[in-house]
Amino acid sequence: MKIHHIPCLEDNYAYLIIDESTKEAAVVDPVEPEKILNVAQQHGVVLKLVLTTHHHWDHAGGNEKLRQLVPGIKVYGGSKDNVKGCTDVVDNGDKISLGADVSILALHTPSHTNGHISYYVTSKEGEDPAVFTGDTLFVAGCGKFFEGTAEQMYQSLCVTLGSLPKPTRVYCGHEYTVKNLQFALTVEPENVKTQHKLSWAQQQRKAGLPTIPSTIEDEMETNPFIRVELPEIQEKVGCDSAVEAMREIRKRKDNWRG
């Protein structure tokens, strides 16, 4: 399995997932269809599937055009999310296969939108899995609770995504990492791993390079929204439970002007 990031719009990422033995590919959130097709052609692959994380236009807005450009392509999206151009709805636990070796598991990760889906992707033994988290989990951050609650985001981040194997690579929907890490340091100023990751991320961006992927393990060490289960984080934000801390940290992030 090979994964290529494709920068789109101002700070979005689409992703090309390639099954190397068959040269069949899936694309995550192809908001700029012509750009996606060019990248697919450069890699000599055939686009078979679209994996849509959620219905917002900057993720699903290219689906209908891509269906025109690639007749017969399947477009997957969450059953509760009314995704534009969707041909096949998925629910939590549904499995999709790509080529000979790639398996895709749909995980329902609501809060940003009601039907948000993250896609957990595995290939041959010995390869680290990957998860495409759209706007639920960002590097060192999480999406705004537009259609859901702190309880749902806690479940999505800490339970559903937090239970994936630690080496799982995290590919999110936007390049927000530097700002997220700067905010994370307002919650945990003494977190050395966060400090180091911020200087690394700043160097990456100066060089015009992406800060993805992260890993689940990395997020557990640096992302305040996944760390809400830790008593020391709850104490820092004056809360008695993980869900309360999730709500409070999101409120602080929404009001933060870093």
Coordinates of all heavy atoms in Angstrom, one line a residue, residues 136-138 140-143 145 153-154 157-158 180 183-184 187-188 219 222-229 233 242 245-254:
T136 N -12.4 15.1 12.0 CA -12.6 14.6 13.4 C -11.3 14.8 14.2 O -11.2 15.6 15.2 CB -13.1 13.2 13.5 OG1 -14.4 13.1 12.9 CG2 -13.2 12.7 14.9
L137 N -10.3 14.1 13.8 CA -9.0 14.2 14.5 C -8.0 14.9 13.5 O -7.8 14.5 12.4 CB -8.4 12.8 14.8 CG -7.0 12.7 15.2 CD1 -6.8 13.4 16.6 CD2 -6.6 11.2 15.4
F138 N -7.4 16.0 14.0 CA -6.3 16.7 13.3 C -5.0 16.4 14.1 O -5.0 15.9 15.2 CB -6.5 18.2 13.3 CG -7.7 18.7 12.5 CD1 -8.7 19.4 13.1 CD2 -7.8 18.3 11.2 CE1 -9.8 19.9 12.4 CE2 -8.9 18.8 10.4 CZ -9.9 19.5 11.0
A140 N -2.7 17.1 16.5 CA -2.7 17.9 17.8 C -4.0 18.7 18.0 O -4.1 19.7 18.7 CB -1.5 18.9 17.8
G141 N -5.1 18.3 17.3 CA -6.3 19.0 17.4 C -7.5 18.2 17.1 O -7.4 17.0 16.8
C142 N -8.7 18.8 17.0 CA -9.9 18.1 16.6 C -10.8 19.1 15.9 O -10.6 20.3 16.0 CB -10.6 17.4 17.7 SG -11.5 18.5 18.9
G143 N -11.8 18.6 15.2 CA -12.8 19.5 14.5 C -13.8 20.2 15.5 O -14.0 19.7 16.6
F145 N -17.3 21.1 17.0 CA -18.5 20.3 17.2 C -19.7 20.9 16.5 O -20.7 21.2 17.1 CB -18.8 20.1 18.7 CG -17.7 19.8 19.6 CD1 -17.8 19.9 21.0 CD2 -16.5 19.2 19.1 CE1 -16.7 19.6 21.8 CE2 -15.4 18.9 19.9 CZ -15.5 19.1 21.3
M153 N -17.5 13.7 20.6 CA -16.1 13.9 20.2 C -15.2 13.0 21.1 O -14.3 12.5 20.7 CB -15.7 15.3 20.2 CG -14.4 15.6 19.6 SD -14.2 15.0 17.9 CE -14.7 16.4 16.9
Y154 N -15.6 13.0 22.4 CA -14.8 12.1 23.3 C -14.9 10.7 22.9 O -13.8 10.0 22.8 CB -15.4 12.2 24.8 CG -14.9 11.2 25.7 CD1 -13.6 11.2 26.2 CD2 -15.6 10.0 26.0 CE1 -13.0 10.2 27.0 CE2 -15.1 9.0 26.8 CZ -13.8 9.1 27.2 OH -13.3 8.1 28.0
L157 N -12.8 10.4 19.5 CA -11.3 10.5 19.6 C -10.8 9.5 20.6 O -9.8 8.8 20.2 CB -11.0 11.9 20.1 CG -11.2 13.1 19.2 CD1 -10.7 14.3 19.9 CD2 -10.6 12.9 17.8
C158 N -11.3 9.4 21.8 CA -10.6 8.7 22.8 C -11.0 7.2 22.8 O -10.2 6.4 23.2 CB -11.0 9.3 24.2 SG -10.5 11.0 24.3
N180 N -2.4 24.3 15.9 CA -2.9 23.3 16.9 C -1.8 23.1 18.0 O -2.2 23.0 19.2 CB -3.2 22.0 16.2 CG -4.5 22.1 15.5 OD1 -5.3 23.0 15.6 ND2 -4.8 21.0 14.6
F183 N -1.6 26.1 20.3 CA -2.7 26.1 21.2 C -2.4 25.0 22.3 O -2.7 25.2 23.5 CB -4.0 25.8 20.6 CG -5.1 25.6 21.5 CD1 -5.7 26.7 22.3 CD2 -5.6 24.3 21.8 CE1 -6.6 26.5 23.2 CE2 -6.6 24.1 22.8 CZ -7.1 25.2 23.5
A184 N -2.0 23.8 21.9 CA -1.8 22.7 22.8 C -0.8 23.1 23.9 O -1.0 22.7 25.1 CB -1.2 21.5 22.1
V187 N -2.4 24.8 26.9 CA -3.0 23.8 27.8 C -1.9 23.1 28.7 O -2.0 23.0 29.9 CB -3.9 22.8 27.1 CG1 -4.5 21.8 28.1 CG2 -4.9 23.4 26.3
E188 N -0.8 22.7 28.0 CA 0.3 22.0 28.6 C 1.6 22.6 28.3 O 2.3 22.1 27.5 CB 0.3 20.6 28.1 CG -0.7 19.6 28.7 CD -0.4 18.2 28.2 OE1 -0.7 17.9 27.1 OE2 0.1 17.4 29.0
E219 N -0.3 11.3 18.9 CA -1.4 12.1 19.3 C -1.7 11.9 20.8 O -2.1 12.9 21.5 CB -2.7 11.7 18.4 CG -2.6 12.1 17.0 CD -2.1 13.6 16.8 OE1 -2.9 14.5 17.3 OE2 -1.1 13.8 16.2
T222 N 0.7 14.3 22.5 CA 0.7 15.7 22.3 C -0.6 16.4 22.0 O -0.7 17.6 22.1 CB 1.6 16.0 21.0 OG1 1.0 15.3 19.9 CG2 3.0 15.6 21.2
N223 N -1.7 15.6 21.8 CA -3.0 16.2 21.4 C -3.9 16.4 22.7 O -4.3 15.4 23.3 CB -3.7 15.3 20.4 CG -4.9 15.9 19.8 OD1 -5.7 16.7 20.5 ND2 -5.2 15.6 18.6
P224 N -4.1 17.6 23.1 CA -4.9 17.8 24.4 C -6.3 17.2 24.3 O -6.8 16.8 25.4 CB -4.9 19.4 24.5 CG -4.7 19.9 23.2 CD -3.8 18.9 22.5
F225 N -6.9 17.1 23.1 CA -8.2 16.6 23.0 C -8.3 15.1 23.2 O -9.3 14.6 23.7 CB -8.8 17.0 21.7 CG -9.0 18.4 21.5 CD1 -8.1 19.2 20.8 CD2 -10.1 19.1 22.0 CE1 -8.2 20.6 20.6 CE2 -10.3 20.5 21.9 CZ -9.3 21.2 21.2
I226 N -7.2 14.4 22.9 CA -7.1 12.9 23.2 C -6.7 12.7 24.6 O -6.9 11.6 25.2 CB -6.2 12.2 22.1 CG1 -7.0 12.1 20.8 CG2 -5.8 10.9 22.6 CD1 -6.4 11.1 19.8
R227 N -6.0 13.7 25.2 CA -5.4 13.5 26.5 C -6.4 13.9 27.6 O -6.0 13.9 28.8 CB -4.1 14.3 26.6 CG -3.0 13.8 25.7 CD -1.8 14.7 25.5 NE -1.1 15.1 26.7 CZ -0.3 14.3 27.3 NH1 0.0 13.0 26.9 NH2 0.4 14.6 28.4
V228 N -7.6 14.1 27.3 CA -8.6 14.6 28.3 C -8.9 13.5 29.4 O -9.4 13.9 30.4 CB -10.0 15.0 27.7 CG1 -9.8 16.3 26.9 CG2 -10.6 13.9 26.8
E229 N -8.5 12.3 29.1 CA -8.7 11.2 30.1 C -7.7 11.4 31.3 O -7.9 10.8 32.4 CB -8.6 9.8 29.5 CG -9.8 9.6 28.6 CD -9.8 8.2 28.0 OE1 -8.8 7.8 27.4 OE2 -10.8 7.4 28.3
I233 N -4.6 16.7 33.0 CA -5.2 17.6 32.0 C -6.5 18.1 32.5 O -6.8 19.3 32.5 CB -5.5 16.9 30.7 CG1 -4.1 16.4 30.0 CG2 -6.2 17.7 29.7 CD1 -3.3 17.4 29.4
A242 N -13.5 13.6 31.7 CA -12.9 13.7 30.4 C -13.8 14.5 29.5 O -13.4 15.3 28.7 CB -12.7 12.3 29.8
A245 N -13.7 18.1 30.3 CA -12.4 18.7 29.8 C -12.5 18.9 28.3 O -12.0 19.9 27.7 CB -11.3 17.8 30.2
M246 N -13.1 17.9 27.6 CA -13.2 18.0 26.1 C -14.0 19.3 25.8 O -13.6 20.1 24.9 CB -13.9 16.8 25.6 CG -14.2 16.8 24.1 SD -12.7 16.6 23.1 CE -12.4 14.8 23.3
R247 N -15.1 19.5 26.5 CA -16.0 20.7 26.2 C -15.2 22.0 26.5 O -15.2 22.9 25.7 CB -17.2 20.6 27.1 CG -18.3 21.6 26.7 CD -19.5 21.4 27.6 NE -20.2 20.2 27.2 CZ -20.4 19.1 28.0 NH1 -19.9 19.2 29.3 NH2 -21.0 18.1 27.6
E248 N -14.5 22.0 27.6 CA -13.8 23.2 28.0 C -12.6 23.5 27.1 O -12.4 24.7 26.7 CB -13.2 23.0 29.5 CG -12.3 24.1 30.0 CD -13.0 25.5 30.1 OE1 -14.3 25.6 30.1 OE2 -12.3 26.5 30.0
I249 N -11.8 22.5 26.7 CA -10.7 22.7 25.8 C -11.1 23.2 24.4 O -10.6 24.1 23.8 CB -9.7 21.5 25.8 CG1 -9.2 21.2 27.1 CG2 -8.6 21.7 24.7 CD1 -8.4 19.9 27.2
R250 N -12.3 22.6 24.0 CA -12.8 23.1 22.7 C -13.3 24.5 22.7 O -13.0 25.3 21.8 CB -14.0 22.1 22.3 CG -14.6 22.4 20.9 CD -13.6 22.1 19.8 NE -13.1 23.3 19.1 CZ -12.2 23.3 18.2 NH1 -11.7 22.2 17.7 NH2 -11.8 24.4 17.7
K251 N -13.9 24.9 23.9 CA -14.4 26.3 24.0 C -13.2 27.2 24.0 O -13.2 28.3 23.4 CB -15.1 26.4 25.4 CG -15.9 27.7 25.5 CD -16.8 27.7 26.7 CE -16.0 28.2 27.9 NZ -16.9 28.1 29.2
R252 N -12.1 26.8 24.7 CA -10.9 27.7 24.8 C -10.3 27.8 23.4 O -9.8 28.9 23.0 CB -9.8 27.1 25.7 CG -10.2 27.1 27.2 CD -9.1 26.6 28.1 NE -9.5 26.6 29.4 CZ -8.7 26.5 30.5 NH1 -7.4 26.3 30.2 NH2 -9.1 26.5 31.7
K253 N -10.3 26.7 22.6 CA -9.7 26.7 21.3 C -10.5 27.6 20.4 O -10.0 28.4 19.6 CB -9.6 25.3 20.7 CG -9.1 25.2 19.3 CD -7.6 25.4 19.2 CE -6.9 24.9 18.0 NZ -7.4 25.2 16.7
D254 N -11.9 27.5 20.5 CA -12.7 28.3 19.7 C -12.5 29.8 19.9 O -12.7 30.7 19.0 CB -14.2 28.0 19.9 CG -14.6 26.6 19.4 OD1 -13.8 26.1 18.6 OD2 -15.6 26.1 19.8

